[in-house]
Amino acid sequence: MLRWTVTFIILAIVAGIFGFGGIAEGAASIAKILFFIFIVLFIISLFTGRKKI
């Protein structure tokens, strides 16, 4: 999932540099959503990670 986030962030930056507003907005919004999903899953995995018996 992190790979998709990085891909969309790079796509948004490149589209922003070339001035494609609609493409940049779409890619940035997808990157934001994936980023927040990744952060939530990371925090959940911190609390429910592997526990030594």
Side-chain angles (χ1 to χ4, degrees):
M1 191 177 322
L2 182 60
R3 184 177 296 159
W4 281 105
T5 305
V6 172
T7 301
F8 279 112
I9 287 173
I10 291 172
L11 181 65
I13 290 170
V14 170
I17 289 171
F18 290 117
F20 301 122
I23 296 172
E25 289 177 23
S29 65
I30 292 172
K32 286 179 188 176
I33 291 169
L34 289 175
F35 176 75
F36 286 118
I37 290 172
F38 176 75
I39 292 296
V40 169
L41 291 176
F42 175 71
I43 291 171
I44 290 171
S45 70
L46 284 177
F47 292 114
T48 63
R50 295 183 182 177
K51 295 183 173 138
K52 294 181 181 179
I53 299 175

